[in-house]
Amino acid sequence: MQEKNKNIWYLAWALIIVGALAASRQAIQPKGPRMEWRRVAMDGHRACAKPITASNLAVALGSFTDSTYVTPSGVAYPSSNEVAKVASLVLEVQPVMAPMKEVVGHSARIMMNDRDNPDLPLGNLFADALRDYGSRYFEVPMDFAITNFGGIRVPMPQGEITLDDISSMLPFKNYLCYVKMKGENLTKLLEQLSETPSFQAISGATVKVKAHKLESALVGGKPIDPRHIYNVATIDFLLDGGDNLRIGALAEDVKLSHVLLKDVMLDCVKGCEARGVLVDAKADGRVIMEN
């Protein structure tokens, strides 16, 4: 009995010592601001370099003067230097890259590709463009459109938009598809999306999610009719497993195309340019997610 009491006594002292050490360690931790990582648009304010466009190659990449390479920030390197050698190779390929530097439109502002935001201007822009293009291509009004945030790889720049920008934003071979879907299955699709950490980019619907459960959904401003057949524009990547979605399994019919998503976006950008308007989009409350 005495041995048992002694062990309890030792354990109690050990806990007291551990607690004191933890408290003292916490007390001596530096009291400074918390550091957080966040993405920022590439505008050259850190490196003195500018994103490459069709009209600023010399500003963005620097230039050679005699046997010296001069960086965009004005630092000079002899041609024998490794920096100059790499710069020479990059500059040499620019004529080949010239077609990709064609300016095809202009953007009102930088639009980031934060896939954790379900009501993201850039995602809304792509989904709206997909629904509009799908309606014209298949000659059927599209009630709904869905594409994936993961396919958008870089932000939309402010100002000039080049072919290279669009190819960089949408580098994957994702093709436009037309899906006929019963309302009850469209509801199932929205329920699946509601259970994920974030939503995908959609157009034509207004959705409210609470605690990862679908609370309400309107398509075309009306409740979903379980028996009605809806016309859905999407991409082949999402038909059978992409981003854990199998839209094809919910479809009554599927029609494929050879139109890449980047061509859909190019059509949107060129259309804005032809009308003399800037490419722009906004968060409009089409997807509301609450804890």
Side-chain angles (χ1 to χ4, degrees), residues 6-7 11-12 23 26 41 63 84 89 103 105 108 116 121 140 147 154 166 178 220 223 234 239 253 268 272:
K6 185 185 293 183
N7 290 339
L11 178 60
Q26 185 175 11
S63 59
L89 293 173
V103 176
D116 293 328
V140 176
T147 186
V154 299
I166 294 177
Y178 166 29
T234 187
L239 291 180
D253 189 22
C268 172
C272 289

Side-chain angles (χ1 to χ4, degrees), residues 203-219:
S203 175
T206 304
V207 177
K208 185 174 182 180
V209 178
K210 191 167 185 178
H212 295 294
K213 299 293 183 183
L214 182 65
E215 194 168 80
S216 65
L218 302 175
V219 174

Side-chain angles (χ1 to χ4, degrees), residues 78-100:
S79 58
S80 59
N81 186 276
E82 293 300 320
V83 172
K85 291 178 181 178
V86 172
S88 177
L89 293 173
V90 173
L91 287 166
E92 282 177 10
V93 301
Q94 292 311 304
V96 179
M97 293 291 294
M100 295 299 293

